[in-house]
Amino acid sequence: MDNLPYSVSYEELPEKYILNFSGQLIINYIENITEQVKKSVSANKDLEINIKNPDSVDVTFIQLLLAIKATFKASEKEVIIKTELKDELVTLIANSGFNYVLN
């Protein structure tokens, strides 16, 4: 599984889970990314998501974030999303109307 164009890493702390995403967060890889998320976390602790300078992001990744947030909200757990994005991705997400997902 080395040399993948995306990265998903997971850490479990006593008080929360941490998910880190980077690389190409796009439709070509979203099924694999989703499977890694499903295997890694459950909604029994709060979750911190770190999106670190991805090469690209598309609506399928935004949909994954929305699904994660909905799952954790239903379990009365908090999701915090922290981002480090290139200006063009910030603009793309804002122009698409999905700013609220990252806040």
Side-chain angles (χ1 to χ4, degrees), residues 56-94:
S56 52
V57 171
D58 70 10
V59 71
T60 60
F61 183 71
I62 300 294
Q63 289 171 322
L64 174 61
L65 293 177
L66 286 168
I68 292 169
K69 287 176 86 169
T71 299
F72 277 72
K73 183 177 182 178
S75 297
E76 298 181 351
K77 299 297 177 190
E78 185 178 10
V79 175
I80 296 170
I81 299 178
K82 299 179 179 180
T83 61
E84 295 174 19
L85 300 174
K86 299 174 197 165
D87 289 341
E88 60 263 21
L89 287 178
V90 171
T91 302
L92 175 68
I93 291 167

Side-chain angles (χ1 to χ4, degrees), residues 1 3-8 21-37 55-58 60-61 64:
M1 286 189 126
N3 298 322
L4 293 173
Y6 62 88
S7 172
V8 178
F21 295 100
S22 64
Q24 296 181 27
L25 307 175
I26 57 174
I27 193 169
N28 304 47
Y29 312 110
I30 202 66
E31 283 187 46
N32 294 334
I33 292 169
T34 301
E35 284 305 311
Q36 284 187 264
V37 169
D55 299 327
S56 52
V57 171
D58 70 10
T60 60
F61 183 71
L64 174 61

Side-chain angles (χ1 to χ4, degrees), residues 7-27:
S7 172
V8 178
S9 65
Y10 158 77
E11 185 177 352
E12 184 175 356
L13 301 177
E15 71 281 2
K16 66 182 173 182
Y17 296 109
I18 299 175
L19 270 175
N20 298 301
F21 295 100
S22 64
Q24 296 181 27
L25 307 175
I26 57 174
I27 193 169

